[in-house]
Amino acid sequence: MNILITGCNGQLGNEMQLLEAAHPEHTWMNTDVVELDITNQLAVEHFVAHHKVDGIVNCAAYTAVDKAESNREAATTLNTVAPAYLAAAVGKRGGWMIHISTDYVFDGTRHTPYTETDTPCPDSVYGSTKLAGEMGVQKFCKNSMIIRTAWLYSTFGNNFVKTMIRLGNEKTELGVIFDQIGTPTYARDLAQVIMTAISQGIRPGIYHYSNEGVISWYDFTKAIHRLAGITTCKVRPLHTSEYPTPAHRPAYSVLDKTKIKSVYGIDIPYWEESLRECIAQLSNESE
């Protein structure tokens, strides 16, 4: 198949590229804004038609959660409008699309893991624009998968894991929120699941994916420092109210992964196992 990857310079896009060599049966077209502006409808239609694109994995998104509150137009363009353009273009060809969404489509007010059948209720501009993006993809491409994920990190780009390692090495004390609960996701694990879906065949619908387990940002930071060998920084717990942000963040956004595990027959790694793998990779790269 001819497969288009958007947002190839981001965390997930880079992880996808690492896996492509194991799938030479497909032609991979890795793009970011320089190669293809997905907010330009004519450019998208031309690219998809010219390259005879059979499938799209949309890794591109406006992910600056706080900035989105004051920059709704930019967030809407990239998170809502662009995915619809991609879905419409590949849908015309009878192709498929995998679109990455977020736990922020829920407001986080419940205390049990969210399933795909739970009614979305976003409480931020970011969450609202991502939910609208899901709807557009499903409307214009019937053969589409929406994969909601959470707390994404990798060896690429800027993310919570790399930030906490840097701050842990720079500071003697750090305050981290303890009353927001969720599950980290190693982007490499998510990329593997996407490859599995492509190999087995796209089964349309909404899916949830993160690593296994439940943790707070505070406990996540403690684990990051322990695995990275950082012993000189004291991490103290903060209430959300002590660290106000422009965007509301879900207090509880654990995702139930039963559906994707049963449909694709996959085993999902425990969050600490994947974190250990990522930190080991970062350590090797810095040597």
Side-chain angles (χ1 to χ4, degrees):
M1 291 182 289
N2 297 324
I3 302 175
L4 166 63
I5 308 290
T6 65
C8 73
N9 292 334
Q11 295 186 81
L12 183 57
N14 270 297
E15 297 288 4
M16 289 293 296
Q17 290 182 73
L18 291 180
L19 301 179
E20 289 169 6
H23 298 274
E25 69 274 17
H26 303 309
T27 299
W28 301 94
M29 291 164 278
N30 300 296
T31 67
D32 216 289
V33 65
V34 172
E35 296 81 17
L36 174 63
D37 179 3
I38 62 172
T39 68
N40 183 324
Q41 185 175 14
L42 291 178
V44 168
E45 290 175 349
H46 174 76
F47 188 100
V48 170
H50 179 74
H51 292 281
K52 297 181 171 62
V53 172
D54 298 302
I56 297 174
V57 180
N58 183 31
C59 303
Y62 186 102
T63 57
V65 175
D66 288 325
K67 288 183 180 178
E69 293 297 310
S70 57
N71 203 353
R72 179 183 287 269
E73 184 178 353
T76 300
T77 300
L78 199 51
N79 291 345
T80 303
V81 178
Y85 290 162
L86 292 165
V90 78
K92 286 179 185 175
R93 289 183 45 78
W96 52 264
M97 182 167 169
I98 296 176
H99 176 67
I100 307 304
S101 192
T102 174
D103 58 326
Y104 276 68
V105 300
F106 301 111
D107 63 9
T109 56
R110 61 184 288 171
H111 304 287
T112 54
Y114 286 95
T115 69
E116 294 83 353
T117 57
D118 287 322
T119 303
C121 44
D123 193 22
S124 65
V125 170
Y126 171 67
S128 298
T129 58
K130 290 294 288 182
L131 177 59
E134 292 183 9
M135 294 175 177
V137 169
Q138 291 186 301
K139 177 180 178 181
F140 293 110
C141 182
K142 302 307 178 188
N143 196 22
S144 61
M145 278 181 71
I146 309 295
I147 303 179
R148 295 173 180 153
T149 191
W151 296 24
L152 198 68
Y153 70 90
S154 78
T155 58
F156 297 100
N158 297 316
N159 55 67
F160 187 81
V161 171
K162 293 168 80 170
T163 298
M164 290 303 106
I165 290 175
R166 176 177 58 80
L167 292 177
N169 286 318
E170 292 175 354
K171 297 179 177 293
T172 56
E173 186 173 298
L174 200 57
V176 183
I177 290 171
F178 79 93
D179 56 357
Q180 291 175 18
I181 309 298
T183 309
T185 307
Y186 186 22
R188 193 160 302 178
D189 294 336
L190 177 55
Q192 291 278 12
V193 171
I194 292 170
M195 285 297 188
T196 297
I198 293 171
S199 297
Q200 293 187 17
I202 304 303
R203 299 170 198 180
I206 296 174
Y207 295 84
H208 289 173
Y209 183 87
S210 67
N211 284 122
E212 296 283 22
V214 178
I215 198 168
S216 72
W217 290 111
Y218 166 78
D219 294 301
F220 190 30
T221 302
K222 294 284 284 186
I224 292 167
H225 285 188
R226 174 168 47 81
L227 294 173
I230 297 171
T231 59
T232 55
C233 180
K234 178 183 178 182
V235 182
R236 56 185 178 84
L238 292 179
H239 289 91
T240 296
S241 58
E242 296 178 80
Y243 192 80
T245 57
H248 175 267
R249 282 159 168 75
Y252 184 93
S253 63
V254 179
L255 300 174
D256 187 303
K257 281 86 66 174
T258 303
K259 181 179 177 181
I260 201 165
K261 287 190 285 189
S262 62
V263 170
Y264 285 102
I266 59 170
D267 290 321
I268 299 178
Y270 179 57
W271 68 265
E272 189 170 346
E273 296 169 6
S274 293
L275 176 62
R276 182 179 290 109
E277 180 184 328
C278 179
I279 289 178
Q281 186 72 29
L282 286 169
S283 178
N284 290 337
E285 291 175 1
S286 64
E287 291 176 357

